[in-house]
Amino acid sequence: MGNAFNEAQFLELVQQNSGILYKVCNAYCRNANNRQDLAQEIIYQLWKSAPGYNPQQKFSTWMYRVALNVAISYYRKEKQVIKPEKVNDTHSMAEDTSAHEAEEQSRQLQQFINGLRELDRAIMLLYLDAKSYSEIAIITGITETNVATKISRIKNILKEKFSAIK
Amino acid sequence: MEQSNIDSMIQAYRQSTGETWLMNVMKLNMACLETLHMQKARRELRKLLLPKILGILLGVAWVAFISIITWNVLNYAPSQAVFFGLSLAGILVISAKAVIDYIRHTVMIWHINNSGNVTDVQLRLARLRLSQFNANRTGLLQIPFYTTWYLYPGLFTDKPFAVWAIPVLITLLFVCLTIYVYKNFTPANLHKKWVKWLIADSSWNAVNNALQFVKEIDDFKKDR
């Protein structure tokens, strides 16, 4: 196999970018056992697709493409209907410490992302990972303008959702 | 909600990047992953692939069986059994095409390149699943040939009009019915009761999901 890197280099690169695995698996799989399974599947598919990796491309961009494709296919195959969990609206966030509040907000944001449709979820994951619009466009295959429109729309929905529970 | 609150929420999310389960996966080396994948592949083979492989084997066996009979009929009794031979040849061509398409699509799905951009790869996968439905649909075209195999040349020359008119009418009826069903038995008509009735529940769900996803991706790709 004419890989651009050997096994050790590959594992190191995956390790350096493990945040991608964590976020993609969390977004497309709620069950902890399935998440491990999905992460293994993504790593395996990355290794299988490695001969096609172009070193001029950023590793994280390529990794995102493979991870999202595997996760979406996995999600659709397993027919895991991830319904957004109802956000606890009786919970007063004002009573919490700021650290707890940040954690709670992060959890709520994760729930919100899990409630999006597969492709919107991919856009939001990339946006939250501070990817540029052009990089998001390369990974998802849509135009930068379209990326900007979608992110703005998703953020508006997010704002409305969180305003509603306050 | 204030914009600053949304931004702080996004910031908090960006900082959360570690969990034990992921660390466990990362500790695995490639050898372990290959082993785990082989185990998973074996499970999948039993659960999902075996019915597909069985279907393909049955399809190939059927095509082989029809080929042998057709070859024998057309070689040893071409004039007496012309209708029988041609009917079998029609069934053979259509069955062979359906089986080849089915194998091709299954292999293509198995070997899809995940390195492509998300919308293209997912669109290709969903369209391939719809093509599998269309490959099965091709099989319908063989139905009229089952109404012609018992005809023979003497029927039209030696028998009265009423005797051969009835089978010819039946064949015409089946031809019209098959054309209608073939034209309308499409993913776009999945909501119709008779289409749903013709396919199993599990297949219907798979095709319907693929169809919805194709629409969703097409919509997603539009600049608006």
Side-chain angles (χ1 to χ4, degrees), chain A residues 101-112:
Chain A
E101 191 172 332
E103 197 182 304
E104 177 64 15
Q105 284 184 340
S106 176
R107 191 185 63 82
Q108 286 180 337
L109 189 56
Q110 182 69 60
Q111 284 176 0
F112 168 77

Side-chain angles (χ1 to χ4, degrees), chain A residues 88-130:
Chain A
N88 188 359
D89 47 7
T90 57
H91 187 77
S92 166
M93 286 164 79
E95 290 166 11
D96 294 331
T97 62
S98 62
H100 187 213
E101 191 172 332
E103 197 182 304
E104 177 64 15
Q105 284 184 340
S106 176
R107 191 185 63 82
Q108 286 180 337
L109 189 56
Q110 182 69 60
Q111 284 176 0
F112 168 77
I113 294 165
N114 289 353
L116 293 171
R117 289 189 302 183
E118 291 101 307
L119 299 170
D120 285 336
R121 208 180 300 173
I123 292 261
M124 202 54 188
L125 272 183
L126 295 164
Y127 171 71
L128 289 172
D129 207 12

Side-chain angles (χ1 to χ4, degrees), chain A residues 7 10-11 14-15 18-19 21-23 25-26 35-37 39-41 43-45 47 49 62 65-66 68-70 72-74 76-77 79 102 105-106 108-110 113 117-120 123 125 127-130 138-143 145-146 149-150 153 155 158-159 162-163 166, chain B residues 1-3 5-10 12-31 33-34 36-38 40 43-44 47-48 110-122 125 129 202 205-206 209-210 212-213 216-217 219-224:
Chain A
E7 197 179 300
F10 169 77
L11 281 175
V14 174
Q15 182 90 53
S18 61
L21 270 182
Y22 171 73
K23 282 165 182 164
C25 292
N26 263 355
R35 269 205 294 269
Q36 285 201 16
D37 207 30
Q40 281 165 14
E41 180 68 22
I43 297 172
Y44 185 77
Q45 291 297 333
W47 180 244
S49 310
W62 174 75
R65 275 185 165 186
V66 177
L68 285 169
N69 275 318
V70 175
I72 293 173
S73 301
Y74 182 93
R76 297 190 68 80
K77 197 166 71 180
K79 289 193 173 71
Q105 284 184 340
S106 176
Q108 286 180 337
L109 189 56
Q110 182 69 60
I113 294 165
R117 289 189 302 183
E118 291 101 307
L119 299 170
D120 285 336
I123 292 261
L125 272 183
Y127 171 71
L128 289 172
D129 207 12
I138 290 169
I139 294 169
T140 56
I142 58 174
T143 63
T145 327
N146 203 358
T149 313
K150 285 185 194 304
R153 195 181 301 152
K155 276 176 86 176
L158 176 67
K159 227 184 278 182
F162 283 96
S163 297
K166 280 218 155 180
Chain B
M1 188 181 224
E2 293 299 318
Q3 183 62 42
N5 286 351
I6 291 283
D7 291 341
S8 72
M9 187 182 280
I10 288 171
Y13 176 86
R14 280 176 178 163
Q15 281 159 3
S16 57
T17 52
E19 234 180 47
T20 327
W21 68 265
L22 184 64
M23 293 307 121
N24 290 339
V25 173
M26 294 307 301
K27 276 180 201 156
L28 295 169
N29 60 29
M30 283 312 298
L33 278 172
E34 295 255 6
L36 281 168
H37 196 82
M38 286 305 289
K40 204 178 145 209
R43 275 204 307 272
E44 274 200 9
K47 227 170 64 187
L48 301 167
W110 197 250
H111 289 290
I112 201 101
N113 178 12
N114 281 311
S115 303
N117 74 56
V118 177
T119 45
D120 277 357
V121 172
Q122 295 303 319
L125 271 169
R129 288 197 181 103
S202 55
N205 281 332
N209 278 340
Q212 295 305 322
F213 203 36
E216 208 176 291
I217 299 168
D219 209 35
F220 184 82
K221 288 186 94 164
K222 284 176 194 155
D223 272 323
R224 59 186 170 81

